Amino acid sequence: MSPQFDIRCHAYSTEIGYDVRSAEDGFQALLEIRNEIPEILLSDLHMPGMSGFELLSEVRQRFPAIQTIAMSGAFRGDEVPSGVAADGFYQKGSSMGSL
């Protein structure tokens, strides 16, 4: 995620009542999830190391109760792209309200 988006997303999510944690990549995200299981996971599909595609697949297998949202600027629309193990999709550049 870009630093600007991360800041806006954190501020918006906190404002509507969510506790927010962030991770630099998919491997760090899995470590964070092991420490405390979140209700919702928002993941960029393109990250260094473990991609969002891989992270979401791992989360689906290991933690099926977590609601997942994939995020990308490479896909258009609000439907989850084919082959992505997520419950929802957020197109980068869309309004925060669409999350």
Coordinates of all heavy atoms in Angstrom, one line a residue:
M1 N 0.8 -1.2 0.0 CA 0.0 0.0 0.0 C 0.9 1.2 0.0 O 1.9 1.2 0.6 CB -0.9 0.0 1.3 CG -2.2 -0.7 1.1 SD -3.2 -0.5 2.6 CE -2.7 -1.9 3.5
S2 N 0.4 2.3 -0.6 CA 1.2 3.5 -0.6 C 1.0 4.1 0.8 O 0.0 3.9 1.5 CB 0.6 4.5 -1.7 OG -0.6 5.0 -1.2
P3 N 2.1 4.9 1.2 CA 2.0 5.5 2.6 C 0.7 6.4 2.7 O 0.1 6.4 3.8 CB 3.3 6.3 2.7 CG 4.2 5.6 1.7 CD 3.3 5.1 0.6
Q4 N 0.4 7.1 1.7 CA -0.8 8.0 1.7 C -2.1 7.2 1.9 O -2.9 7.6 2.7 CB -0.9 8.9 0.5 CG 0.3 9.9 0.3 CD 1.4 9.2 -0.4 OE1 1.4 8.1 -0.9 NE2 2.5 9.9 -0.6
F5 N -2.2 6.2 1.2 CA -3.4 5.4 1.3 C -3.5 4.7 2.7 O -4.5 4.7 3.3 CB -3.5 4.3 0.2 CG -4.7 3.4 0.3 CD1 -5.9 3.9 -0.2 CD2 -4.7 2.2 1.0 CE1 -7.1 3.1 0.0 CE2 -5.8 1.5 1.2 CZ -7.0 1.9 0.7
D6 N -2.3 4.2 3.1 CA -2.3 3.6 4.4 C -2.7 4.6 5.5 O -3.5 4.2 6.4 CB -0.8 3.1 4.7 CG -0.7 2.2 5.9 OD1 -1.7 1.5 6.2 OD2 0.3 2.2 6.6
I7 N -2.3 5.8 5.5 CA -2.7 6.8 6.4 C -4.2 7.1 6.3 O -4.9 7.1 7.4 CB -1.9 8.1 6.3 CG1 -0.4 7.8 6.7 CG2 -2.4 9.3 7.1 CD1 0.6 8.9 6.2
R8 N -4.7 7.3 5.1 CA -6.1 7.6 4.9 C -7.0 6.4 5.4 O -8.0 6.6 6.0 CB -6.4 7.9 3.5 CG -5.9 9.3 3.0 CD -6.5 9.7 1.7 NE -6.8 8.6 0.7 CZ -6.0 8.3 -0.3 NH1 -4.8 8.9 -0.5 NH2 -6.3 7.3 -1.1
C9 N -6.6 5.2 5.0 CA -7.3 4.0 5.4 C -7.3 3.8 6.9 O -8.4 3.5 7.5 CB -6.7 2.8 4.7 SG -7.7 1.3 4.9
H10 N -6.2 4.0 7.5 CA -6.1 3.9 9.0 C -7.0 4.9 9.7 O -7.8 4.6 10.6 CB -4.6 4.1 9.4 CG -4.4 3.9 10.9 ND1 -4.7 4.8 11.8 CD2 -4.0 2.8 11.5 CE1 -4.4 4.3 13.0 NE2 -4.0 3.1 12.9
A11 N -6.9 6.2 9.2 CA -7.8 7.2 9.8 C -9.3 6.9 9.6 O -10.0 7.1 10.6 CB -7.4 8.6 9.2
Y12 N -9.7 6.5 8.4 CA -11.1 6.3 8.1 C -11.5 5.1 9.0 O -12.6 5.1 9.6 CB -11.3 6.0 6.7 CG -12.7 5.6 6.3 CD1 -13.7 6.6 6.2 CD2 -13.1 4.3 6.1 CE1 -15.0 6.3 5.9 CE2 -14.4 4.0 5.7 CZ -15.3 5.0 5.7 OH -16.6 4.7 5.4
S13 N -10.8 4.0 9.0 CA -11.2 2.8 9.7 C -11.3 3.1 11.2 O -12.2 2.6 11.9 CB -10.2 1.7 9.5 OG -10.2 1.4 8.1
T14 N -10.3 3.8 11.8 CA -10.3 4.2 13.2 C -11.6 5.0 13.5 O -12.2 4.8 14.5 CB -9.0 4.9 13.6 OG1 -7.9 4.0 13.3 CG2 -9.0 5.2 15.0
E15 N -11.9 6.0 12.6 CA -13.0 6.9 12.8 C -14.3 6.1 12.9 O -15.2 6.5 13.6 CB -13.0 7.8 11.6 CG -14.1 8.9 11.7 CD -14.1 9.8 10.5 OE1 -13.0 10.5 10.3 OE2 -15.1 9.9 9.8
I16 N -14.4 5.0 12.1 CA -15.7 4.2 12.1 C -15.7 3.1 13.1 O -16.6 2.3 13.2 CB -16.1 3.7 10.7 CG1 -15.1 2.8 10.1 CG2 -16.4 4.9 9.8 CD1 -15.5 2.2 8.8
G17 N -14.6 3.1 14.0 CA -14.6 2.1 15.1 C -13.8 0.9 15.0 O -13.8 0.0 15.9
Y18 N -12.9 0.8 14.0 CA -12.1 -0.4 13.9 C -10.7 -0.1 14.5 O -10.2 1.0 14.4 CB -11.8 -0.8 12.5 CG -13.0 -1.5 11.9 CD1 -13.9 -0.8 11.0 CD2 -13.3 -2.8 12.1 CE1 -15.0 -1.4 10.5 CE2 -14.4 -3.4 11.6 CZ -15.3 -2.7 10.7 OH -16.3 -3.3 10.2
D19 N -10.1 -1.1 15.2 CA -8.7 -1.1 15.6 C -7.9 -1.5 14.3 O -8.3 -2.5 13.7 CB -8.4 -2.0 16.7 CG -9.0 -1.6 18.0 OD1 -9.1 -0.4 18.3 OD2 -9.5 -2.5 18.8
V20 N -6.9 -0.8 14.0 CA -6.1 -1.1 12.8 C -4.7 -1.5 13.1 O -4.0 -0.8 13.8 CB -6.2 0.2 11.8 CG1 -5.4 -0.1 10.6 CG2 -7.6 0.6 11.5
R21 N -4.3 -2.5 12.4 CA -2.9 -2.9 12.4 C -2.4 -3.0 11.0 O -3.2 -3.3 10.1 CB -2.7 -4.3 13.1 CG -3.0 -4.2 14.6 CD -2.9 -5.6 15.2 NE -3.9 -6.5 14.7 CZ -3.8 -7.8 14.6 NH1 -2.7 -8.4 15.0 NH2 -4.8 -8.5 14.2
S22 N -1.1 -2.8 10.7 CA -0.6 -2.9 9.3 C 0.6 -3.8 9.3 O 1.3 -4.0 10.3 CB -0.4 -1.5 8.7 OG 0.6 -0.9 9.5
A23 N 0.9 -4.3 8.1 CA 2.1 -5.1 7.9 C 2.8 -4.7 6.6 O 2.1 -4.3 5.7 CB 1.7 -6.6 7.9
E24 N 4.1 -4.9 6.6 CA 4.8 -4.5 5.4 C 4.7 -5.5 4.2 O 4.8 -5.1 3.1 CB 6.3 -4.4 5.7 CG 6.7 -3.3 6.7 CD 6.5 -1.9 6.0 OE1 6.8 -1.8 4.8 OE2 5.9 -1.0 6.7
D25 N 4.4 -6.7 4.6 CA 4.2 -7.8 3.5 C 3.4 -8.9 4.0 O 2.9 -8.9 5.2 CB 5.6 -8.3 3.0 CG 6.4 -8.9 4.1 OD1 5.9 -9.5 5.0 OD2 7.7 -8.7 4.0
G26 N 3.1 -9.9 3.2 CA 2.3 -11.0 3.6 C 2.8 -11.8 4.7 O 2.1 -12.3 5.5
F27 N 4.1 -12.0 4.8 CA 4.7 -12.8 5.8 C 4.5 -12.1 7.2 O 4.1 -12.8 8.2 CB 6.2 -13.0 5.6 CG 6.5 -13.8 4.4 CD1 7.1 -13.3 3.3 CD2 6.2 -15.2 4.3 CE1 7.4 -14.0 2.1 CE2 6.5 -16.0 3.2 CZ 7.1 -15.4 2.1
Q28 N 4.7 -10.8 7.2 CA 4.5 -10.1 8.5 C 3.0 -10.1 8.8 O 2.6 -10.2 10.0 CB 5.0 -8.6 8.4 CG 4.9 -7.9 9.7 CD 5.3 -6.4 9.6 OE1 5.6 -5.9 8.5 NE2 5.3 -5.8 10.7
A29 N 2.1 -10.0 7.8 CA 0.7 -10.1 8.1 C 0.3 -11.4 8.8 O -0.5 -11.4 9.7 CB -0.1 -9.9 6.8
L30 N 0.9 -12.5 8.3 CA 0.6 -13.8 8.9 C 1.0 -13.8 10.4 O 0.3 -14.4 11.2 CB 1.2 -14.9 8.1 CG 0.5 -15.3 6.8 CD1 1.3 -16.4 6.1 CD2 -0.9 -15.8 7.1
L31 N 2.2 -13.2 10.7 CA 2.7 -13.2 12.0 C 1.7 -12.4 12.9 O 1.4 -12.7 14.0 CB 4.1 -12.6 12.1 CG 5.2 -13.4 11.5 CD1 6.5 -12.7 11.5 CD2 5.3 -14.7 12.3
E32 N 1.2 -11.2 12.4 CA 0.3 -10.4 13.1 C -1.0 -11.1 13.3 O -1.6 -11.0 14.4 CB 0.0 -9.1 12.3 CG 1.1 -8.1 12.3 CD 1.3 -7.4 13.6 OE1 0.3 -7.2 14.3 OE2 2.5 -7.1 13.9
I33 N -1.5 -11.9 12.4 CA -2.7 -12.6 12.5 C -2.6 -13.7 13.6 O -3.5 -13.9 14.3 CB -3.2 -13.3 11.1 CG1 -3.6 -12.2 10.2 CG2 -4.3 -14.3 11.3 CD1 -3.8 -12.6 8.7
R34 N -1.4 -14.3 13.6 CA -1.2 -15.4 14.7 C -1.3 -14.7 16.1 O -1.7 -15.4 17.0 CB 0.1 -16.0 14.5 CG 0.1 -17.0 13.3 CD 1.4 -17.8 13.3 NE 1.5 -18.4 12.0 CZ 2.6 -18.4 11.2 NH1 3.6 -17.7 11.6 NH2 2.6 -19.0 10.1
N35 N -0.8 -13.5 16.2 CA -0.8 -12.8 17.5 C -2.2 -12.4 17.9 O -2.6 -12.5 19.1 CB 0.1 -11.6 17.5 CG 1.5 -11.9 17.4 OD1 2.0 -12.9 17.9 ND2 2.3 -11.0 16.8
E36 N -3.0 -12.0 17.0 CA -4.4 -11.6 17.2 C -5.2 -11.7 16.0 O -4.9 -11.0 15.0 CB -4.4 -10.1 17.8 CG -5.8 -9.7 18.2 CD -5.9 -8.3 18.7 OE1 -4.8 -7.7 19.0 OE2 -7.0 -7.8 18.8
I37 N -6.2 -12.5 16.0 CA -7.0 -12.7 14.8 C -8.0 -11.6 14.5 O -8.8 -11.2 15.4 CB -7.8 -14.1 14.9 CG1 -6.8 -15.2 14.9 CG2 -8.7 -14.2 13.7 CD1 -7.4 -16.6 15.1
P38 N -7.9 -10.9 13.4 CA -8.7 -9.8 13.1 C -10.1 -10.2 12.6 O -10.3 -11.4 12.1 CB -8.0 -9.0 12.0 CG -7.3 -10.1 11.2 CD -6.9 -11.1 12.3
E39 N -11.1 -9.3 12.6 CA -12.4 -9.6 12.0 C -12.3 -9.5 10.5 O -12.9 -10.2 9.7 CB -13.4 -8.6 12.5 CG -13.8 -8.8 14.0 CD -14.8 -7.7 14.4 OE1 -15.8 -7.5 13.7 OE2 -14.6 -7.2 15.5
I40 N -11.5 -8.5 10.0 CA -11.4 -8.2 8.6 C -9.9 -8.0 8.2 O -9.1 -7.4 9.0 CB -12.1 -6.8 8.3 CG1 -13.6 -6.9 8.6 CG2 -11.9 -6.5 6.8 CD1 -14.4 -5.6 8.5
L41 N -9.6 -8.5 7.0 CA -8.2 -8.3 6.5 C -8.4 -7.6 5.1 O -9.1 -8.1 4.3 CB -7.5 -9.7 6.3 CG -6.2 -9.6 5.6 CD1 -5.1 -8.9 6.4 CD2 -5.8 -11.0 5.2
L42 N -7.7 -6.5 5.0 CA -7.6 -5.8 3.7 C -6.2 -6.0 3.2 O -5.2 -5.6 3.9 CB -7.9 -4.3 3.9 CG -7.7 -3.3 2.7 CD1 -8.7 -3.7 1.6 CD2 -7.9 -1.9 3.2
S43 N -6.1 -6.6 2.0 CA -4.8 -6.9 1.5 C -4.6 -6.4 0.0 O -5.4 -6.6 -0.8 CB -4.5 -8.4 1.5 OG -3.3 -8.7 0.9
D44 N -3.5 -5.7 -0.2 CA -3.1 -5.3 -1.6 C -2.7 -6.6 -2.3 O -2.2 -7.5 -1.6 CB -1.9 -4.4 -1.5 CG -1.7 -3.7 -2.8 OD1 -2.0 -4.2 -3.9 OD2 -1.2 -2.5 -2.8
L45 N -3.1 -6.8 -3.5 CA -2.7 -8.0 -4.2 C -1.3 -8.0 -4.7 O -0.7 -9.1 -4.8 CB -3.6 -8.2 -5.5 CG -5.1 -8.5 -5.2 CD1 -5.9 -8.5 -6.5 CD2 -5.2 -9.7 -4.4
H46 N -0.7 -6.9 -4.8 CA 0.7 -6.8 -5.3 C 1.6 -6.3 -4.1 O 1.6 -5.1 -3.9 CB 0.8 -6.0 -6.5 CG 0.0 -6.5 -7.7 ND1 0.4 -7.6 -8.4 CD2 -1.2 -6.1 -8.1 CE1 -0.5 -7.9 -9.3 NE2 -1.5 -7.0 -9.1
M47 N 2.3 -7.2 -3.5 CA 3.2 -6.8 -2.4 C 4.6 -7.5 -2.6 O 4.6 -8.6 -3.3 CB 2.6 -7.3 -1.0 CG 1.3 -6.6 -0.7 SD 0.8 -7.1 1.0 CE 0.4 -8.9 0.8
P48 N 5.6 -7.0 -2.0 CA 6.9 -7.7 -2.1 C 6.9 -9.0 -1.3 O 6.1 -9.2 -0.3 CB 7.9 -6.8 -1.5 CG 7.1 -5.9 -0.6 CD 5.7 -5.8 -1.2
G49 N 7.7 -10.0 -1.6 CA 7.7 -11.2 -0.9 C 6.5 -12.1 -1.2 O 6.3 -12.5 -2.3
M50 N 5.7 -12.3 -0.2 CA 4.4 -13.0 -0.4 C 3.4 -12.1 -1.0 O 3.0 -11.0 -0.4 CB 3.9 -13.6 0.9 CG 2.6 -14.3 0.8 SD 1.9 -14.8 2.4 CE 3.0 -16.1 2.8
S51 N 2.8 -12.4 -2.1 CA 1.8 -11.5 -2.8 C 0.5 -11.6 -2.0 O 0.3 -12.5 -1.2 CB 1.6 -11.9 -4.2 OG 0.9 -13.1 -4.3
G52 N -0.4 -10.6 -2.3 CA -1.7 -10.6 -1.7 C -2.5 -11.9 -2.1 O -3.3 -12.4 -1.4
F53 N -2.3 -12.3 -3.4 CA -2.9 -13.5 -3.8 C -2.6 -14.7 -2.9 O -3.5 -15.4 -2.5 CB -2.5 -13.9 -5.3 CG -2.9 -12.9 -6.3 CD1 -2.1 -11.9 -6.7 CD2 -4.1 -13.1 -7.0 CE1 -2.5 -11.0 -7.7 CE2 -4.5 -12.2 -8.0 CZ -3.7 -11.1 -8.3
E54 N -1.3 -14.8 -2.6 CA -0.8 -15.9 -1.7 C -1.3 -15.7 -0.3 O -1.8 -16.7 0.4 CB 0.7 -16.0 -1.7 CG 1.3 -16.4 -3.1 CD 2.8 -16.1 -3.1 OE1 3.2 -15.0 -2.9 OE2 3.5 -17.1 -3.5
L55 N -1.2 -14.5 0.2 CA -1.7 -14.2 1.6 C -3.2 -14.6 1.8 O -3.5 -15.2 2.7 CB -1.4 -12.7 1.9 CG -2.0 -12.3 3.3 CD1 -1.4 -13.0 4.4 CD2 -1.9 -10.8 3.4
L56 N -4.0 -14.1 0.9 CA -5.4 -14.3 1.0 C -5.7 -15.8 0.9 O -6.6 -16.3 1.6 CB -6.2 -13.6 -0.1 CG -6.2 -12.0 0.1 CD1 -6.6 -11.3 -1.2 CD2 -7.0 -11.6 1.3
S57 N -5.0 -16.5 0.1 CA -5.2 -18.0 0.0 C -4.8 -18.7 1.3 O -5.6 -19.5 1.8 CB -4.4 -18.5 -1.2 OG -4.6 -19.9 -1.3
E58 N -3.7 -18.3 1.9 CA -3.3 -18.8 3.2 C -4.3 -18.5 4.3 O -4.6 -19.4 5.1 CB -1.9 -18.3 3.5 CG -0.8 -18.9 2.8 CD -0.5 -20.3 3.1 OE1 -0.6 -20.7 4.3 OE2 -0.3 -21.1 2.2
V59 N -4.7 -17.3 4.3 CA -5.7 -16.9 5.3 C -7.0 -17.6 5.2 O -7.6 -18.1 6.1 CB -6.0 -15.3 5.3 CG1 -7.1 -14.9 6.1 CG2 -4.7 -14.6 5.7
R60 N -7.5 -17.8 3.9 CA -8.7 -18.6 3.7 C -8.6 -20.0 4.2 O -9.5 -20.5 4.8 CB -9.0 -18.6 2.2 CG -10.2 -19.4 1.8 CD -11.5 -18.8 2.1 NE -11.7 -17.6 1.2 CZ -12.4 -16.6 1.6 NH1 -13.0 -16.5 2.7 NH2 -12.5 -15.5 0.8
Q61 N -7.4 -20.6 4.0 CA -7.2 -22.0 4.5 C -7.0 -22.1 6.0 O -7.6 -23.0 6.7 CB -5.9 -22.6 3.8 CG -6.1 -22.9 2.4 CD -4.8 -23.3 1.7 OE1 -3.8 -23.6 2.3 NE2 -4.9 -23.5 0.4
R62 N -6.2 -21.2 6.6 CA -5.9 -21.3 8.0 C -6.9 -20.6 8.9 O -7.0 -21.0 10.1 CB -4.5 -20.6 8.3 CG -3.4 -21.4 7.6 CD -2.1 -20.7 8.0 NE -0.9 -21.2 7.2 CZ 0.3 -20.8 7.5 NH1 0.6 -19.9 8.4 NH2 1.3 -21.2 6.7
F63 N -7.5 -19.5 8.4 CA -8.4 -18.7 9.3 C -9.6 -18.4 8.5 O -9.9 -17.2 8.2 CB -7.7 -17.4 9.7 CG -6.3 -17.6 10.3 CD1 -5.1 -17.4 9.5 CD2 -6.1 -17.8 11.6 CE1 -3.9 -17.6 10.0 CE2 -4.9 -18.0 12.2 CZ -3.7 -17.9 11.4
P64 N -10.5 -19.4 8.2 CA -11.6 -19.1 7.4 C -12.7 -18.2 7.9 O -13.5 -17.6 7.2 CB -12.2 -20.5 7.2 CG -11.7 -21.3 8.3 CD -10.4 -20.7 8.7
A65 N -12.6 -17.9 9.2 CA -13.6 -16.9 9.8 C -13.3 -15.5 9.5 O -14.1 -14.6 9.6 CB -13.7 -17.1 11.3
I66 N -12.0 -15.2 9.1 CA -11.7 -13.8 8.8 C -12.3 -13.4 7.5 O -12.2 -14.0 6.5 CB -10.1 -13.6 8.7 CG1 -9.5 -14.0 10.1 CG2 -9.7 -12.2 8.3 CD1 -7.9 -14.0 10.0
Q67 N -13.0 -12.2 7.5 CA -13.5 -11.6 6.3 C -12.4 -11.0 5.6 O -11.6 -10.2 6.2 CB -14.6 -10.6 6.6 CG -15.8 -11.2 7.3 CD -16.6 -12.2 6.3 OE1 -17.0 -11.8 5.3 NE2 -16.7 -13.4 6.8
T68 N -12.3 -11.2 4.3 CA -11.1 -10.7 3.5 C -11.6 -9.8 2.4 O -12.6 -10.0 1.7 CB -10.3 -11.8 3.0 OG1 -11.1 -12.7 2.2 CG2 -9.6 -12.6 4.1
I69 N -10.8 -8.7 2.2 CA -11.0 -7.8 1.1 C -9.7 -7.6 0.3 O -8.7 -7.3 0.9 CB -11.5 -6.4 1.6 CG1 -12.7 -6.5 2.4 CG2 -11.6 -5.4 0.4 CD1 -13.1 -5.2 3.1
A70 N -9.7 -7.9 -1.0 CA -8.6 -7.7 -1.8 C -8.6 -6.3 -2.4 O -9.7 -5.7 -2.6 CB -8.6 -8.7 -3.0
M71 N -7.4 -5.8 -2.6 CA -7.3 -4.4 -3.1 C -6.3 -4.3 -4.2 O -5.2 -5.0 -4.1 CB -6.9 -3.5 -1.9 CG -6.6 -2.1 -2.3 SD -6.2 -1.1 -0.8 CE -4.6 -1.9 -0.3
S72 N -6.6 -3.6 -5.3 CA -5.7 -3.5 -6.4 C -6.1 -2.3 -7.3 O -7.2 -2.0 -7.4 CB -5.6 -4.7 -7.2 OG -4.7 -4.6 -8.3
G73 N -5.1 -1.7 -7.9 CA -5.3 -0.8 -9.0 C -5.3 -1.4 -10.4 O -5.6 -0.8 -11.4
A74 N -4.9 -2.7 -10.4 CA -4.8 -3.4 -11.7 C -6.1 -4.0 -12.2 O -6.2 -4.4 -13.3 CB -3.7 -4.5 -11.6
F75 N -7.1 -4.1 -11.3 CA -8.4 -4.6 -11.6 C -9.4 -3.5 -11.5 O -9.3 -2.6 -10.7 CB -8.7 -5.8 -10.8 CG -7.8 -7.0 -10.9 CD1 -6.7 -7.1 -10.0 CD2 -8.0 -7.9 -11.9 CE1 -5.9 -8.2 -10.1 CE2 -7.1 -9.0 -12.0 CZ -6.1 -9.1 -11.1
R76 N -10.5 -3.6 -12.3 CA -11.5 -2.6 -12.2 C -12.8 -3.2 -11.7 O -13.1 -4.4 -11.9 CB -11.8 -2.1 -13.7 CG -10.5 -1.4 -14.3 CD -10.3 0.0 -13.6 NE -9.1 0.6 -14.2 CZ -8.2 1.1 -13.4 NH1 -8.3 1.0 -12.1 NH2 -7.1 1.6 -13.9
G77 N -13.7 -2.4 -11.2 CA -15.0 -2.8 -10.7 C -15.0 -3.1 -9.2 O -14.0 -2.9 -8.5
D78 N -16.1 -3.7 -8.8 CA -16.3 -4.0 -7.4 C -16.4 -5.5 -7.1 O -16.6 -6.0 -6.0 CB -17.4 -3.2 -6.7 CG -18.7 -3.5 -7.4 OD1 -18.8 -4.2 -8.4 OD2 -19.7 -2.9 -7.0
E79 N -16.3 -6.3 -8.2 CA -16.4 -7.8 -8.1 C -15.0 -8.3 -7.8 O -14.0 -7.8 -8.3 CB -16.9 -8.4 -9.4 CG -18.3 -8.0 -9.7 CD -19.3 -8.5 -8.7 OE1 -19.2 -9.7 -8.3 OE2 -20.2 -7.7 -8.3
V80 N -14.9 -9.4 -7.0 CA -13.7 -10.0 -6.7 C -13.1 -10.6 -8.0 O -13.8 -11.4 -8.6 CB -13.8 -11.1 -5.6 CG1 -12.5 -11.8 -5.3 CG2 -14.4 -10.5 -4.3
P81 N -11.9 -10.3 -8.3 CA -11.3 -10.9 -9.6 C -11.2 -12.4 -9.5 O -11.0 -13.0 -8.4 CB -9.9 -10.2 -9.6 CG -10.0 -9.0 -8.8 CD -11.0 -9.3 -7.7
S82 N -11.3 -13.0 -10.6 CA -11.2 -14.5 -10.7 C -9.9 -15.0 -10.1 O -8.9 -14.4 -10.4 CB -11.4 -14.9 -12.2 OG -11.3 -16.3 -12.3
G83 N -10.0 -16.0 -9.3 CA -8.8 -16.6 -8.8 C -8.3 -16.0 -7.5 O -7.3 -16.4 -6.9
V84 N -9.0 -15.0 -7.0 CA -8.6 -14.3 -5.7 C -9.5 -14.8 -4.6 O -10.7 -14.7 -4.7 CB -8.8 -12.8 -5.9 CG1 -8.4 -12.1 -4.6 CG2 -7.9 -12.2 -7.0
A85 N -8.9 -15.3 -3.6 CA -9.6 -15.9 -2.4 C -10.0 -14.8 -1.4 O -9.4 -14.6 -0.4 CB -8.8 -16.9 -1.7
A86 N -11.0 -14.0 -1.8 CA -11.4 -12.9 -1.0 C -13.0 -12.8 -1.0 O -13.6 -13.2 -1.9 CB -10.8 -11.6 -1.5
D87 N -13.5 -12.2 0.1 CA -14.9 -12.0 0.2 C -15.4 -10.7 -0.5 O -16.6 -10.5 -0.8 CB -15.3 -11.9 1.7 CG -15.0 -13.1 2.4 OD1 -15.4 -14.2 2.0 OD2 -14.2 -13.1 3.4
G88 N -14.5 -9.7 -0.7 CA -14.8 -8.5 -1.3 C -13.6 -7.9 -2.1 O -12.5 -8.4 -1.9
F89 N -13.8 -6.9 -2.8 CA -12.8 -6.2 -3.6 C -12.9 -4.7 -3.5 O -14.0 -4.2 -3.6 CB -12.8 -6.7 -5.1 CG -11.8 -6.0 -5.9 CD1 -10.4 -6.4 -5.8 CD2 -12.1 -5.0 -6.8 CE1 -9.5 -5.8 -6.6 CE2 -11.1 -4.4 -7.6 CZ -9.8 -4.8 -7.5
Y90 N -11.8 -4.0 -3.3 CA -11.7 -2.6 -3.3 C -10.7 -2.1 -4.4 O -9.6 -2.5 -4.5 CB -11.2 -2.1 -2.0 CG -10.9 -0.6 -2.0 CD1 -12.0 0.3 -1.9 CD2 -9.6 -0.1 -2.0 CE1 -11.8 1.7 -1.9 CE2 -9.4 1.3 -2.0 CZ -10.5 2.2 -2.0 OH -10.3 3.5 -2.0
Q91 N -11.2 -1.4 -5.4 CA -10.4 -0.8 -6.5 C -9.7 0.4 -5.9 O -10.4 1.4 -5.5 CB -11.3 -0.5 -7.7 CG -10.5 0.1 -8.8 CD -11.4 0.5 -10.0 OE1 -12.4 -0.1 -10.2 NE2 -11.1 1.6 -10.6
K92 N -8.4 0.4 -6.0 CA -7.6 1.6 -5.6 C -8.1 2.8 -6.3 O -8.4 2.7 -7.5 CB -6.1 1.4 -5.8 CG -5.5 0.4 -4.8 CD -4.0 0.4 -5.1 CE -3.3 -0.5 -4.2 NZ -1.8 -0.6 -4.5
G93 N -8.2 3.9 -5.6 CA -8.7 5.1 -6.2 C -10.2 5.4 -6.0 O -10.7 6.5 -6.2
S94 N -10.9 4.3 -5.6 CA -12.3 4.5 -5.3 C -12.5 5.2 -3.9 O -11.5 5.4 -3.2 CB -13.0 3.1 -5.1 OG -12.9 2.4 -6.3
S95 N -13.7 5.7 -3.7 CA -13.9 6.4 -2.4 C -13.7 5.4 -1.2 O -14.0 4.2 -1.3 CB -15.3 7.0 -2.4 OG -16.2 6.0 -2.2
M96 N -13.3 6.0 -0.1 CA -13.1 5.2 1.1 C -14.5 4.6 1.6 O -14.5 3.5 2.1 CB -12.5 6.0 2.3 CG -11.1 6.3 2.1 SD -10.2 4.8 2.0 CE -8.6 5.3 2.6
G97 N -15.5 5.3 1.3 CA -16.9 4.8 1.6 C -17.2 3.4 1.0 O -18.0 2.7 1.5
S98 N -16.6 3.1 -0.2 CA -16.9 1.9 -0.8 C -16.2 0.7 -0.1 O -16.6 -0.5 -0.4 CB -16.4 1.9 -2.3 OG -15.0 2.0 -2.4
L99 N -15.3 0.9 0.8 CA -14.8 -0.2 1.6 C -15.8 -0.7 2.5 O -15.9 -1.9 2.8 CB -13.6 0.3 2.5 CG -12.3 0.4 1.8 CD1 -11.2 1.0 2.7 CD2 -11.8 -1.0 1.4

